């Protein structure tokens, strides 16, 4: 089944680069927003993340299949990411999910790295 789907995608897009860019239009809006939010210190429940991922996928898919020709071939990457972000934050705060913006719990590792960099600069290395 995966092989048949792959062949259909390859015939649909034509070149590997086009196929890769088309597939990333659906992957990036789903994965990037939750990853970046967690890196920036936002913690939420799994249901909030899944709701955001679903919204990002639906908007990116709808944009690519319905609105792309009307919008001058503008891809669904940015609208999908914005939908993911809006739904993730809205779901988190409307349904009062646990977590939210948290700081660094143990800053000792960062302080040690900063101290080592300071010593390296002072030593002239």
């Amino acid at each position: 089944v995966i092989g048949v789907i792959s062949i259909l995608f390859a015939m649909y897009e034509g070149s590997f680069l086009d196929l890769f860019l088309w597939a990333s239009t659906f992957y990036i809006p789903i994965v990037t927003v939750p990853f970046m939010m967690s890196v920036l210190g936002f913690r939420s429940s799994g249901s909030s993340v899944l709701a955001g991922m679903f919204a990002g996928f639906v908007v990116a898919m709808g944009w690519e299949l319905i609105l792309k020709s009307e919008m001058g071939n503008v891809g669904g990457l940015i609208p999908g990411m914005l939908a993911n972000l809006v739904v993730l934050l809205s779901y988190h705060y409307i349904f009062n999910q646990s977590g939210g913006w948290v700081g660094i719990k143990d800053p000792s590792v960062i302080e040690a790295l900063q101290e080592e960099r300071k010593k390296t600069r002072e030593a002239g290395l």
Side-chain angles (χ1 to χ4, degrees):
V1 172
I2 293 173
V4 171
I5 292 172
S6 300
I7 291 171
L8 291 174
F9 280 150
M11 290 182 350
Y12 171 73
E13 286 299 325
S15 72
F16 180 73
L17 179 61
D18 291 337
L19 180 62
F20 178 76
L21 293 173
W22 188 76
S24 69
T25 301
F26 302 110
Y27 175 76
I28 291 174
I30 294 172
V31 175
T32 303
V33 172
F35 173 72
M36 290 305 298
M37 294 297 283
S38 66
V39 166
L40 294 173
F42 184 79
R43 304 294 187 261
S44 188
S45 66
S47 59
S48 299
V49 172
L50 288 175
M53 290 173 137
F54 180 73
F57 177 76
V58 168
V59 168
M61 179 73 85
W63 192 280
E64 283 290 316
L65 298 177
I66 298 169
L67 295 175
K68 187 173 181 178
S69 61
E70 296 176 15
M71 301 300 285
N73 285 335
V74 175
L77 182 70
I78 301 299
M81 289 178 72
L82 286 174
N84 190 340
L85 179 65
V86 167
V87 170
L88 173 68
L89 291 174
S90 299
Y91 193 97
H92 175 81
Y93 287 114
I94 290 172
F95 293 109
N96 200 16
Q97 302 289 320
S98 62
W101 294 102
V102 297
I104 299 171
K105 293 182 180 178
D106 184 18
S108 63
V109 175
I110 294 175
E111 290 170 354
L113 286 171
Q114 289 173 341
E115 187 66 31
E116 182 153 344
R117 286 185 191 138
K118 184 179 178 183
K119 288 179 183 177
T120 304
R121 279 192 302 253
E122 289 174 355
L125 299 176

